[in-house]
Amino acid sequence: LPSAADRLSPARQALGLPDLLHPQPVEHFVRSPNAPASAHVYVDVSGSMSAVLPYVVGLLAPYVATRRIRLFQFSTEVYPLELAKLRAGELKSTFGTEIDCVLEHALAVPRLRKALILTDGYVGEPKASLARGVAARGLQLHAVLPAEDPYRDDLVGLARSLTILPPLTGGGR
């Protein structure tokens, strides 16, 4: 019997064409899990960021929970920052800030193409060899700075974009 979904069957019959096989086109919806993109986010945990870090926890926790970002903390070394430690405020600072550790870490990840750095900007000038490595690889670094004390000079030649967050209390610069 012709299928009700086969709208060509009456036309074939009217034209006298053979109607032996009735094609039954059916749309199939297949659920395939989308692997969410996982971005690398590096958070400056140095002392100069202490006023901003409590707010950062609230902003980043949902993305860490859904594995949309891989979160790392840095000062002079880079350490992973798991959700439980993030929520508990257990940050590991080595009391200083250097961008070189972030660049070394990012360059060591073969397929990493973009990374976000949340810092106040006081990260020091990068080693020329690391800056060249970032440029040669096409690694895109995006920096996010708090409005309270954004220092752009150390990142201006390195980051593809510099975004200033709105002030925490309305009194930022």
Side-chain angles (χ1 to χ4, degrees):
L1 295 173
S3 168
D6 184 7
R7 297 185 327 194
L8 292 177
S9 181
R12 281 194 299 270
Q13 288 175 353
L15 292 172
L17 296 174
D19 203 20
L20 297 175
L21 298 175
H22 301 283
Q24 298 184 16
V26 177
E27 290 186 40
H28 292 276
F29 296 98
V30 179
R31 293 186 79 193
S32 61
N34 292 339
S38 180
H40 279 217
V41 176
Y42 296 91
V43 177
D44 180 351
V45 294
S46 65
S48 60
M49 289 284 291
S50 61
V52 178
L53 289 174
Y55 298 97
V56 170
V57 170
L59 290 172
L60 297 177
Y63 298 102
V64 175
T66 58
R67 297 185 178 148
R68 299 204 56 201
I69 64 172
R70 294 193 62 204
L71 189 60
F72 300 93
Q73 55 190 326
F74 79 97
S75 51
T76 59
E77 296 179 31
V78 175
Y79 298 102
L81 187 53
E82 295 87 20
L83 181 61
K85 290 186 178 187
L86 176 68
R87 286 186 173 152
E90 295 178 25
L91 306 175
K92 188 173 184 175
S93 178
T94 53
F95 306 105
T97 314
E98 294 178 5
I99 194 65
D100 290 341
C101 63
V102 172
L103 301 181
E104 289 169 355
H105 188 271
L107 288 170
V109 181
R111 294 177 38 181
L112 184 63
R113 296 289 172 239
K114 296 179 182 180
L116 184 124
I117 303 168
L118 188 94
T119 179
D120 57 4
Y122 296 97
V123 294
E125 190 172 323
K127 287 182 185 172
S129 60
L130 291 172
R132 282 193 302 272
V134 167
R137 170 124 153 239
L139 180 60
Q140 297 178 25
L141 300 174
H142 300 275
V144 176
L145 297 96
E148 284 67 28
D149 192 16
Y151 183 72
R152 298 171 182 90
D153 294 356
D154 291 345
L155 296 166
V156 83
L158 187 63
R160 177 170 259 193
S161 68
L162 292 169
T163 303
I164 308 295
L165 292 173
L168 295 174
T169 60
R173 288 184 246 175

